Amino acid sequence: MKILGISCHYHEAAAALIIDGKIVAATAQERLSRKKHDADFPDLAINWCLSQAHLSVHDLDYVVFYEKPLIKFDRHLRIALAFFPHTLGWFVESMRNSLVEKLWIKSIIVAKLGIEEERVLFVPQHLSHAAASFYPSPFADAAVLTLDGVGEWTTGTMGEAHGHRVTMTSELRFPHSVGLLYSAITAFLGFEVNDGEYKVMGMAGFGKPIHIDRVRKLFTHHADGSITLHLQYFSFHRNAHRMYTRALEALFAGCDRFDIAASIQQVTEEIVLRMADVLYEKTKLPNLVYGGGVALNSVINAALLAKTKFKRVFIFRQQEMMERLLGLLCTCITMC
Amino acid sequence: MNIVIDRLKALSAKIIELETTILLSALYLVGIPFVWLLYRVSGHRLSVGWKPWKYQTDTLDACRSEASL
């Protein structure tokens, strides 16, 4: 079984190839195009992956895309409605992007690769995260936690995995997102979203978490581990170019940047640890597999092992997009 | 000559982008308010807290769909 995974039009475009359950090749388009965060259709990455296995496109059994485009489009429409009339600029930009390319990804794949429509598959983004976390892990059974900015609608999931089966049980939905909370502070501190989060994590070590009360004003933390963002502080749901509002600027006015970083790091850790505790109480499994963009925060990952009841934790060691790709391939293998 | 053609191409791209912006803005300002009213009347609210996972992902047919729920 030869399956090619593709991601593009958001983050870094990438391709990965699995043959009979073995990862044969995987690369990001930016490595070959030399364009940082290249999100174009990954033709170079696909060709490279196929060349590693001496295959052509026609040898492939399936080509899999990393998310469900129509569900993402549904989110864009509903968010435009939910926050009307503040979403004009956001609506125009998101519709332009969707109508030009994102909605037609199946046709684009079919046209560019010359394969039949029936061989193009789509896997929900957070299932990809979960699969990438579980299938390469050494565990036969594990609790599953994924946390991200946003997938189609999903910003986080809980579930279980046994044998060859990953079962997601619950999801947290946009706009209430741990990843976007962290990214909004990343943007406020002057870094690029989906790029500079690691710098905030690094900065945290040089500051003191003396603003955690301010950070906690940004959301409500529920007993079940979920969070509800207080949207008056955020604008990512109605503005494609700005993550936060003046209310957030006012909240952190005059605060030292390193102390803000230390505070968001500590609060995010509290959120993730509580979610993990809730998941442990639900599943009582000793093993945790953890994936998604938030799982790139290695400081929190260390705390997961040290401060929760999970005995062992497995986190896929790859950049987020590659993690998704390999996960969706693993998912498809279990079904084929 | 090539410079002229390139500039004309860039200009036409900008015109198309402007037209698209105007059309989408008009759609938003004229069309969305009616849908928004229905949306409000229906009582639809964005989800808060953990909700059951409802994607169907167990079969290849579900994966063939771009929108399977």
Side-chain angles (χ1 to χ4, degrees):
Chain A
M1 184 69 68
K2 304 173 189 74
I3 309 176
L4 178 75
I6 294 175
S7 71
C8 59
H9 302 156
Y10 189 64
H11 283 310
E12 298 83 10
L17 179 66
I18 284 185
I19 300 178
D20 297 330
K22 186 179 174 188
I23 300 167
V24 174
T27 189
Q29 176 85 350
E30 65 175 9
R31 304 294 168 100
L32 303 164
S33 69
R34 312 306 297 166
K35 282 194 279 182
K36 187 75 174 165
H37 300 312
D38 190 347
D40 288 343
F41 188 84
D43 45 358
L44 297 174
I46 291 169
N47 290 338
W48 184 84
C49 287
L50 292 175
S51 71
Q52 296 305 300
H54 307 291
L55 295 177
S56 79
V57 170
H58 302 289
D59 297 319
L60 297 171
D61 294 289
Y62 294 103
V63 175
V64 197
F65 192 65
Y66 80 104
E67 67 176 5
K68 301 266 189 183
L70 287 182
I71 298 176
K72 190 173 189 175
F73 187 64
D74 171 67
R75 168 165 65 84
H76 287 188
L77 287 177
R78 284 177 194 258
I79 293 297
L81 284 173
F83 298 100
F84 178 85
H86 305 289
T87 46
L88 172 60
W90 183 88
F91 175 82
V92 170
E93 183 144 341
S94 73
M95 286 304 112
R96 188 188 286 137
N97 288 338
S98 297
L99 295 173
V100 168
E101 56 185 14
K102 289 185 177 178
L103 269 182
W104 318 114
I105 188 64
K106 183 185 259 186
S107 307
I108 291 171
I109 292 171
V110 168
K112 294 237 183 201
L113 300 185
I115 59 166
E116 303 85 25
E117 278 194 11
E118 299 74 47
R119 288 199 282 154
V120 182
L121 306 178
F122 300 86
V123 173
Q125 192 183 116
H126 275 260
L127 183 64
S128 302
H129 284 310
S133 307
F134 177 66
Y135 291 119
S137 80
F139 309 143
D141 304 280
V144 180
L145 177 66
T146 69
L147 292 171
D148 197 13
V150 59
E152 294 85 353
W153 266 106
T154 311
T155 62
T157 63
M158 288 184 183
E160 292 182 33
H162 303 278
H164 296 293
R165 190 174 183 81
V166 177
T167 308
M168 313 309 294
T169 53
S170 51
E171 64 167 337
L172 199 59
R173 303 191 107 201
F174 186 87
H176 307 296
S177 164
V178 184
L180 291 174
L181 168 68
Y182 202 93
S183 290
I185 299 294
T186 299
F188 175 72
L189 292 175
F191 300 114
E192 191 181 337
V193 171
N194 292 333
D195 181 89
E197 284 79 359
Y198 76 97
K199 295 172 188 166
V200 177
M201 183 183 75
M203 282 174 70
F206 296 93
K208 293 175 184 165
I210 55 177
H211 301 304
I212 54 175
D213 288 340
R214 290 174 203 255
V215 175
R216 284 185 183 133
K217 285 183 180 171
L218 300 176
F219 66 95
T220 301
H221 201 180
H222 303 289
D224 65 358
S226 67
I227 61 166
T228 303
L229 294 185
H230 299 162
L231 295 176
Q232 68 267 30
Y233 293 106
F234 302 96
S235 56
F236 57 76
H237 53 292
R238 53 189 168 86
N239 188 327
H241 303 290
R242 192 172 165 84
M243 293 290 287
Y244 55 89
T245 63
R246 287 182 180 169
L248 189 141
E249 288 177 335
L251 185 66
F252 291 107
C255 297
D256 180 81
R257 286 167 181 262
F258 289 94
D259 292 340
I260 296 172
S263 303
I264 185 65
Q265 179 68 25
Q266 179 163 322
V267 172
T268 307
E269 181 177 309
E270 288 171 10
I271 296 170
V272 175
L273 292 186
R274 189 184 294 181
M275 285 183 179
D277 287 338
V278 169
L279 181 60
Y280 180 83
E281 292 306 318
K282 278 184 176 177
T283 63
K284 298 289 184 188
L285 292 165
N287 304 320
L288 172 68
V289 294
Y290 176 44
V294 181
L296 296 174
N297 193 312
S298 52
V299 176
I300 295 177
N301 296 349
L304 269 173
L305 194 57
K307 298 180 182 175
T308 67
K309 292 178 181 173
F310 287 108
K311 298 281 184 283
R312 292 184 293 175
V313 178
F314 182 86
I315 296 155
F316 192 77
R317 292 175 300 173
Q318 251 301 350
Q319 68 185 77
E320 189 197 343
M321 189 52 74
M322 204 58 76
E323 178 214 6
R324 283 183 204 163
L325 273 184
L326 293 170
L328 67 86
L329 292 174
C330 294
T331 306
C332 290
I333 286 167
T334 64
M335 287 183 292
C336 296
Chain B
M1 191 63 181
N2 284 341
I3 293 172
V4 174
I5 289 171
D6 285 346
R7 286 192 175 169
L8 280 172
K9 277 183 183 173
L11 183 65
S12 64
K14 280 191 176 174
I15 290 170
I16 289 169
E17 190 178 325
L18 186 64
E19 280 178 354
T20 313
T21 303
I22 291 168
L23 282 172
L24 286 170
S25 299
L27 173 67
Y28 183 85
L29 294 170
V30 178
I32 295 285
F34 295 105
V35 188
W36 177 74
L37 275 175
L38 291 173
Y39 183 83
R40 286 313 224 192
V41 170
S42 71
H44 189 89
R45 293 286 180 274
L46 292 174
S47 160
V48 173
W50 293 110
K51 299 292 175 196
W53 173 265
K54 57 184 180 182
Y55 293 92
Q56 286 180 7
T57 50
D58 291 352
T59 64
L60 270 180
D61 278 341
C63 284
R64 284 198 176 95
S65 165
E66 294 167 75
S68 63
L69 280 178

